[in-house]
Amino acid sequence: EVQLVESGGGLVQPGGSLRLSCAASGFTFSSFEMNWVRQAPGKGLEWISYIGSNGSSIYYADSVKGRFTISRDNSKNSLYLQMNSLRAEDTAVYYCARGTVVVLWGQGTLVTVSS
Amino acid sequence: EIVMTQSPATLSVSPGERATLSCRASQSVSSNLAWYQQRPGQAPRLLIYGASTRATGIPARFSGSGSGTEFTLTISSLQSEDFVVYYCQQYDNWPITFGQGTRLEIK
């Protein structure tokens, strides 16, 4: 089955860190560019980071630049998001998304930043 | 950053009627515009890309049009499952940006 499964979300204190993972299956992961998109509770979609198929191209939204790091391990069919210096406004469901026109989404993992 | 503005924020339409959702870009995005549908508690679903191409498995009642800065998603003959939230997205320039969404509600 073609799917993306995120993990690693949870409750973290402001200023803390969290690492999200996204496991891909059912397709040739190394052939696809990947993104992270988030959605704060009751709000719209916000793209936050992109990584090219071989990891050579990386982009970030200004809201996370310098705090978040996207990476991938094509040998493990996995995408990652290292999140540091977390703020309350980072509270959201984080989606792993295949492609910039996103045909395939993960189910999302909830990150809550609160003391 | 290209700002995507969707209107209206909420649209009230009766089942069986047609809904027209608008999306405006702050600068030209050519035809690099997609539409997504999101049901409560679910990830978004791609409906339209390239401004007017239906994604695989999307019913023909969904259609997209426009180019440059003005885009429209039309849903003809609304079904009960269509009354959810819709987002436009430009992928012409970094950063990728989404509109704030239009909620389609039953009139």
Side-chain angles (χ1 to χ4, degrees):
Chain A
E1 181 185 1
V2 175
Q3 64 177 355
L4 299 169
V5 179
E6 301 96 336
S7 59
L11 175 64
V12 61
Q13 293 188 338
S17 298
L18 213 55
R19 188 194 197 206
L20 305 183
S21 298
C22 171
S25 59
F27 64 96
T28 305
F29 179 72
S30 59
S31 296
F32 290 88
E33 54 195 12
M34 298 295 295
N35 295 271
W36 287 99
V37 177
R38 70 183 180 184
Q39 186 169 35
K43 303 298 184 182
L45 301 168
E46 180 188 16
W47 169 84
I48 57 171
S49 189
Y50 161 95
I51 187 167
S53 58
N54 62 5
S56 61
S57 295
I58 287 176
Y59 302 108
Y60 297 101
D62 285 346
S63 58
V64 305
K65 197 175 296 182
R67 300 187 299 122
F68 290 11
T69 302
I70 191 171
S71 63
R72 65 191 295 162
D73 186 337
N74 286 343
S75 68
K76 295 182 178 180
N77 293 332
S78 293
L79 176 72
Y80 306 101
L81 187 68
Q82 177 66 43
M83 305 187 295
N84 299 330
S85 303
L86 283 160
R87 307 165 179 166
E89 54 265 35
D90 295 318
T91 294
V93 172
Y94 285 72
Y95 293 103
C96 171
R98 190 183 79 180
T100 45
V101 174
V102 184
V103 175
L104 183 63
W105 299 76
Q107 85 285 356
T109 187
L110 176 62
V111 172
T112 303
V113 184
S114 175
S115 54
Chain B
E1 172 175 318
I2 297 176
V3 177
M4 306 301 292
T5 303
Q6 292 185 239
S7 61
T10 302
L11 181 61
S12 298
V13 186
S14 299
E17 294 190 343
R18 171 181 299 202
T20 303
L21 289 66
S22 296
C23 176
R24 173 177 293 178
S26 60
Q27 66 188 71
S28 177
V29 299
S30 186
S31 294
N32 297 312
L33 189 286
W35 290 94
Y36 298 87
Q37 177 192 67
Q38 188 176 33
R39 296 192 169 113
Q42 295 186 17
R45 177 175 71 145
L46 177 67
L47 299 175
I48 301 286
Y49 64 95
S52 61
T53 302
R54 273 191 306 278
T56 301
I58 301 303
R61 66 179 183 274
F62 292 91
S63 63
S65 63
S67 65
T69 62
E70 300 284 343
F71 301 89
T72 300
L73 173 69
T74 301
I75 313 170
S76 63
S77 188
L78 283 161
Q79 308 294 304
S80 58
E81 62 267 27
D82 299 335
F83 291 92
V84 289
V85 180
Y86 296 84
Y87 295 95
C88 62
Q89 173 219 8
Q90 70 81 19
Y91 50 96
D92 190 68
N93 274 300
W94 297 102
I96 292 170
T97 47
F98 292 89
Q100 80 281 12
T102 291
R103 179 176 302 277
L104 193 51
E105 66 174 27
I106 298 175
K107 186 174 183 180

